[in-house]
Amino acid sequence: MENIGRFRTFVRSFTSLIEQARDDEERVLAEGKKLLSELVGHDDWLPDEFAQPSPERYRQYLLYCDPMERFSVVSFVWGPGQTTPIHDHTVWGMVGVMRGVEQCEEFRLEPATGRLRAAGTHRLARGGIDLVSPRIGDIHRVSNALADSPSISIHVYGANIGSVTRSTYEPGTGHRKSFVSGYSSAVAPDPWDRLVKDCEVRASSLPRGSGAA
Ligand code: FE
């Protein structure tokens, strides 16, 4: 069953965290990691339409954006063999794997030469969380580590990430190119309809939208 209430609880908790922690990135990442871990530890809430891979390239579906654009939540869906370019974020970010396995390669820019240096590769299994930010390391490439099925991770960023101007990097030279990612869908899930999604008895006895206005 689709338990969208779990996502609503996450959004509410993350909003409280941002209101309390404000610009304290260390606190946002430490406490936000626990919230994201709880969310991706239960694969029962993400509506199917935001979990669909595309044969062409990985998908990034906006799940929620804070009205003040202090944070956004995105589902990333990789088909077999798909990968991101090497890219940065310019704001803090968290990656939590919910389905499958992902490969994360980290890079550092050499200040003297402007070239990229590989700084380690690791696999992130279900429930694993990765953190990025300009403070702790912001350049990486993420791939689906599975050759035969999709992988899905839930990402949280310290901005409306689809509208942020960021950079991709060429592997050898470190050559930078600006990009704005946007999102793969013009719609986001509705976590607020308690009548239909939280109360099965009432939902099944009433056609959707039949209540009084
Ligand atoms: Fe990233």
Side-chain angles (χ1 to χ4, degrees), residues 87 89 140 142 157:
H87 64 276
H89 308 84
H140 70 177
V142 184
Y157 301 96

Side-chain angles (χ1 to χ4, degrees), residues 76 78 84-85 87-89 95 132 138-142 155 157 166:
F76 272 66
W78 279 269
T84 67
H87 64 276
D88 64 16
H89 308 84
V95 175
V132 293
D138 197 36
I139 305 175
H140 70 177
R141 174 164 57 193
V142 184
H155 300 202
Y157 301 96
R166 302 188 274 152

